[in-house]
Amino acid sequence: MAVRVGVIGGGQLARMMIAPAVELGLDLRVLAEDEGMSAQLAATGVGDYRDLETVRAFAADVDVITFDHEHVPQEVLRALVADGVQVHPGPDALQYAQDKLVMRTKLAELGAPQPDWAAVHDTAELQAFLDDHGGRAVVKTPRGGYDGKGVMVVSDAADAAEWFGDFDALLVEELVSFSRELAQQVARRPSGDIVAYPVVETVQRDGVCAEVFAPAPEASDRLVQVAEGIGRQIAEGLGVTGMLAVELFQTVDERLLVNELAMRPHNSGHWSQDGAVTGQFEQHLRAVADLPLGDTGLRAPWSVMINILGGPADATIDERFPAAMSAHPDAKIHTYGKASRPGRKVGHVNVAGDDLDDVVYAARAAAAYFA
């Protein structure tokens, strides 16, 4: 019988696991939050991922549980493990992607390079950090933030006063002077085998990933080695199983600092669907099912991913497909089954090729058909 992989969360990441699951002969099942979500083709259940009995019922019919997001509560995850359910990544690892203060503390123990940071419990402590760091800093909510939400650059502690009412402490970090943002992905199986993808450059707009260039242009051998080393160190040190994305700052003085972590397929790895021998969605399934990991090499010298953000206001995504496909037959267009909405991730475009400038132009031009 095929291995039954249960994915909690019905978003686009679960959707993009469907095709590789079929190719691998896995039985993919999804617990979606609502009807009609992106992964509805594989949704065998609809319910609240925060409710233990709902998740238990879903887990009873699968061999391993994994995730479309990191928001399943720790008490639910630990109850599944106590029931004997295989959970990848497990709660001991996932806690570091769920709580940024817990993450920062653990990364410090591992000796991973980070921005200067502190846990602050009130505006007085925040102001003291600001005074010690040039008067500006980044404040983050420890839990629940993503795509620019729960992140604020402040120059006055009063700017974050309202957030203190929602959390025991906030995370404050130095405002890093960086030349660009990078991402290092690795995959690790429960048996401990691990593989790394090429480090990539990511471009953020309004806190949301807009473009990814693989591999990172003008990356020295030293940078590549250090980025991969950081990814492997964190995956092994935290006991991650499945895909791990490590978001990095490359500072103006050529250091690499860990920004955030994601323990699942990640936007920075969407290029790999068409640009790597083994895409991140297939790799994640291989890893959580404890199957041999795939080759992470490039299929072409360059791959570029452009996110489709918002979608067309005067048409549906589907209506724009024919023109985009005709004009750019070299582009791979991936959509998420979502309606257009300002700022919403509704799809992405991948293009791979020999010349970076040509690949960037083609990817941006194809994505523009969906604006």
Side-chain angles (χ1 to χ4, degrees):
M1 184 174 67
V3 175
R4 299 165 299 175
V5 178
V7 182
I8 297 179
Q12 63 259 28
L13 301 182
R15 176 190 180 97
M16 288 183 277
M17 293 183 205
I18 296 173
V22 171
E23 293 166 355
L24 291 170
L26 302 175
D27 180 357
L28 192 78
R29 305 182 182 192
V30 172
L31 176 64
E33 295 88 332
D34 296 295
E35 298 284 354
M37 293 191 68
S38 292
Q40 61 182 320
L41 286 173
T44 57
V46 175
D48 188 350
Y49 60 80
R50 297 164 297 185
D51 180 70
L52 175 57
E53 294 312 312
T54 297
V55 175
R56 266 188 171 141
F58 175 70
D61 291 326
V62 301
D63 299 305
V64 60
I65 288 287
T66 191
F67 310 96
D68 170 85
H69 56 70
E70 292 109 338
H71 305 312
V72 181
Q74 278 284 312
E75 57 268 25
V76 172
L77 298 174
R78 294 188 183 279
L80 292 182
V81 172
D83 290 344
V85 178
Q86 294 292 313
V87 179
H88 296 303
D92 288 343
L94 202 59
Q95 63 180 324
Y96 301 112
Q98 293 178 323
D99 190 307
K100 295 180 178 66
L101 283 171
V102 175
M103 175 197 76
R104 286 290 181 216
T105 301
K106 183 63 175 180
L107 292 183
E109 293 175 5
L110 293 176
Q114 304 186 81
D116 196 14
W117 66 277
V120 292
H121 300 82
D122 52 39
T123 54
E125 291 183 357
L126 175 54
Q127 190 61 52
F129 187 94
L130 288 168
D131 294 342
D132 290 340
H133 292 82
R136 298 185 75 207
V138 179
V139 176
K140 298 179 179 180
T141 59
R143 297 179 300 280
Y146 66 97
D147 284 348
K149 300 177 178 66
V151 179
M152 183 190 312
V153 177
V154 302
S155 54
D156 188 321
D159 295 341
E162 289 187 6
W163 284 3
F164 283 107
D166 298 324
F167 300 94
D168 294 334
L170 299 177
L171 171 64
V172 59
E173 300 173 353
E174 67 171 305
L175 191 61
V176 175
S177 180
F178 61 89
S179 58
R180 60 177 173 173
E181 295 184 70
L182 304 171
Q184 175 65 60
Q185 283 194 303
V186 298
R188 182 175 178 271
R189 352 171 12 187
S191 59
D193 292 342
I194 188 168
V195 294
Y197 284 83
V199 64
V200 302
E201 179 176 349
T202 66
V203 177
Q204 318 293 317
R205 296 198 183 102
D206 298 323
V208 178
C209 181
E211 301 181 340
V212 176
F213 306 97
E218 299 180 6
S220 67
D221 291 344
R222 171 67 175 163
L223 183 148
V224 171
Q225 293 169 2
V226 170
E228 181 174 333
I230 291 171
R232 289 177 177 271
Q233 175 195 25
I234 292 173
E236 293 171 347
L238 303 187
V240 177
T241 46
M243 289 296 305
L244 167 70
V246 182
E247 297 181 52
L248 299 161
F249 294 124
Q250 182 178 355
T251 66
V252 294
D253 57 354
E254 296 300 313
R255 293 176 296 139
L256 293 182
L257 301 177
V258 177
N259 180 17
E260 296 192 358
L261 306 178
M263 296 179 190
R264 50 173 170 75
H266 188 253
N267 206 159
S268 64
H270 288 354
W271 68 272
S272 67
Q273 287 175 288
D274 307 296
V277 175
T278 309
Q280 66 165 345
F281 299 99
E282 177 184 342
Q283 197 78 277
H284 185 72
L285 291 170
R286 286 176 177 240
V288 301
D290 207 13
L291 298 171
L293 300 177
D295 188 340
T296 58
L298 295 163
R299 291 189 177 276
W302 298 103
S303 290
V304 172
M305 184 227 62
I306 308 294
N307 264 333
I308 301 171
L309 300 174
D314 58 347
T316 67
I317 296 286
D318 292 346
E319 288 171 334
R320 296 293 179 90
F321 257 98
M325 296 169 70
S326 177
H328 298 282
D330 55 342
K332 298 294 186 179
I333 302 166
H334 302 267
T335 58
Y336 306 157
K338 294 181 176 181
S340 298
R341 190 176 70 199
R344 190 183 203 187
K345 291 179 183 175
V346 294
H348 65 272
V349 172
N350 289 333
V351 177
D354 295 331
D355 182 85
L356 179 58
D357 289 340
D358 290 344
V359 170
V360 171
Y361 172 81
R364 288 174 176 166
Y369 278 85
F370 300 93

